[in-house]
Amino acid sequence: MIRKLEDFLMNWKHESESTLKILNTLTDESLNQKVYDEGRTLRTLAWHIVVTIDEMIGKTGLQFKATPHDAPKPKTVKEMAVAYKESSDEMVDAIKAQWSDETLLEEKDMYGETWTVSTILQVLISHQIHHRGQITVLMRQAGLAVPGMYGPSKEEWLAFAEEAPE
């Protein structure tokens, strides 16, 4: 639960760093990977995470510069990672400058419902985690190593020990 801006900022620091680890591990060649013919590609999922910062946080009234939610998908992973980092950094700076802990209690119209700003921030984090999970499955299918986010990944564990835990 987010009760203070510092709660979000500390959590976001870890989560945004984890997202950047994922984005920086993708390759341009892997971006067309998908689970099934009609499924989303790695490119679509990764870009969705990037533009959701503008799409979701923009509804709160926070004034900041982010990659617009309707921006076309870039061709390269590097462009996605740069756009994500810039949008994330701009959002954090704007939150620090424009909001207080009391802002978290404000209610906003979100997708036909009324959410507090605190809820919006928590959903932004959960949404990002959800799509990172989808991305890691596609990364494995594309033959990419998955970086650890909440502890070592299989590949990182194997670097420490002879076999990864089951």
Side-chain angles (χ1 to χ4, degrees):
M1 178 173 267
I2 298 171
R3 293 195 169 115
K4 296 183 177 221
L5 287 178
E6 192 57 31
D7 297 338
F8 170 74
L9 295 170
M10 285 178 45
N11 198 346
W12 184 257
K13 182 178 183 336
H14 173 77
E15 297 304 334
S16 62
E17 288 172 355
S18 293
T19 297
L20 279 171
K21 274 194 217 177
I22 290 287
L23 293 175
N24 287 322
T25 304
L26 298 177
T27 63
D28 293 343
E29 297 74 31
S30 71
L31 291 177
N32 292 320
Q33 182 70 42
K34 53 185 163 179
V35 173
Y36 58 97
D37 289 341
E38 296 81 30
R40 289 178 170 181
T41 63
L42 265 175
R43 179 189 321 277
T44 298
L45 288 167
W47 192 239
H48 178 62
I49 290 174
V50 174
V51 298
T52 295
I53 295 172
D54 171 66
E55 193 278 323
M56 192 173 286
I57 301 305
K59 292 182 184 301
T60 67
L62 185 70
Q63 299 299 306
F64 69 110
K65 183 181 176 197
T67 301
H69 65 277
D70 57 355
K73 292 178 203 128
K75 302 257 188 271
T76 68
V77 171
K78 181 175 176 141
E79 291 171 281
M80 286 189 212
V82 167
Y84 177 83
K85 177 133 179 42
E86 289 174 354
S87 294
S88 175
D89 289 350
E90 288 282 337
M91 177 190 69
V92 166
D93 290 345
I95 287 172
K96 289 177 180 178
Q98 297 173 38
W99 286 357
S100 68
D101 290 342
E102 290 73 33
T103 307
L104 298 172
L105 302 174
E106 292 178 9
E107 294 182 338
K108 305 292 179 179
D109 178 39
M110 291 294 286
Y111 315 112
E113 298 178 0
T114 302
W115 296 1
T116 63
V117 170
S118 175
T119 298
I120 295 166
L121 293 174
Q122 187 60 58
V123 169
L124 177 70
I125 290 170
S126 298
H127 175 266
Q128 182 170 252
I129 293 167
H130 163 71
H131 288 302
R132 277 197 330 243
Q134 293 175 315
I135 287 170
T136 60
V137 170
L138 292 172
M139 289 174 72
R140 292 256 183 238
Q141 288 181 324
L144 300 175
V146 174
M149 288 167 272
Y150 304 107
S153 68
K154 178 183 175 183
E155 294 82 1
E156 292 167 340
W157 186 267
L158 289 172
F160 299 126
E162 292 187 25
E163 65 181 69
E166 294 290 319

